[in-house]
Amino acid sequence: MPEKRYTKVEEEILQILDKMEVVDERPARSPLRAVPSPPRRKPRSHRMRSFLHAPWTSLALTAAFAFAALLARDTSHLLATALASLSIIAFFAPIVLRRQTVSPGGVPQHFGTKQWRGRDISFDPPLRTSLAERARIWLDNQRRNRRRDD
């Protein structure tokens, strides 16, 4: 019988298969496994900050100040009023404190240089005008509108 001839691709495949059959002579791995380290405690300032930012904190403070104001109304009117005021402040504090802040310069982040279709475009912040200047502009606009109506 004639000897079977393999194509070049078949020979390469056979060589690869032969290499895969070679026993790996590396030493076996030890049965030890990695154990995660114990969780680290967060610093006190981080724990306090997370406590203050909890959603129920302001309601708890509001209730505590209101209850203390109810208890203090018979003994001291001034103390009861102060505690009631603190209760109102504690209730509205999350609205004021967690409000989205703008960048340090007072300009929102969407201003600045951006790229559009490969070109740099500068978005300058609106000019800040004083209250008096805005009032003058408004009055001028009102006068112009009255002249048009006449």
Side-chain angles (χ1 to χ4, degrees):
M1 222 178 191
E3 188 177 307
K4 186 174 182 182
R5 296 259 177 195
Y6 295 109
T7 63
K8 182 83 171 166
V9 174
E10 290 174 333
E11 287 179 7
E12 289 179 5
I13 291 173
L14 288 172
Q15 287 176 359
I16 292 171
L17 291 173
D18 287 341
K19 287 180 185 176
M20 289 176 62
E21 290 177 1
V22 174
V23 177
D24 191 10
E25 296 179 5
R26 290 183 293 174
R29 295 179 66 197
S30 64
L32 299 177
R33 61 183 173 87
V35 178
S37 62
R40 297 172 65 189
R41 285 191 76 168
K42 296 177 182 175
R44 176 174 274 188
S45 62
H46 188 282
R47 286 182 295 185
M48 183 62 78
R49 194 176 313 125
S50 64
F51 171 76
L52 291 176
H53 289 293
W56 54 268
T57 305
S58 68
L59 292 177
L61 284 174
T62 301
F65 285 137
F67 184 71
L70 284 174
L71 294 178
R73 71 179 175 183
D74 294 332
T75 57
S76 171
H77 182 70
L78 180 64
L79 179 62
T81 304
L83 289 170
S85 300
L86 284 175
S87 174
I88 293 170
I89 290 171
F91 183 76
F92 288 111
I95 297 170
V96 176
L97 296 177
R98 295 184 189 148
R99 184 174 58 99
Q100 292 292 327
T101 58
V102 292
S103 65
V107 179
Q109 294 294 335
H110 60 271
F111 293 115
T113 304
K114 308 240 182 202
Q115 257 195 344
W116 182 69
R117 294 189 177 183
R119 295 182 181 171
D120 288 337
I121 297 175
S122 177
F123 293 102
D124 294 328
L127 297 174
R128 296 209 177 252
T129 56
S130 66
L131 182 62
E133 181 68 20
R134 285 185 281 169
R136 188 187 62 75
I137 292 170
W138 182 80
L139 284 173
D140 290 343
N141 288 338
Q142 294 299 317
R143 288 181 192 141
R144 274 191 230 122
N145 290 339
R146 283 187 196 148
R147 288 181 197 152
R148 284 186 207 154
D149 292 339
D150 292 339

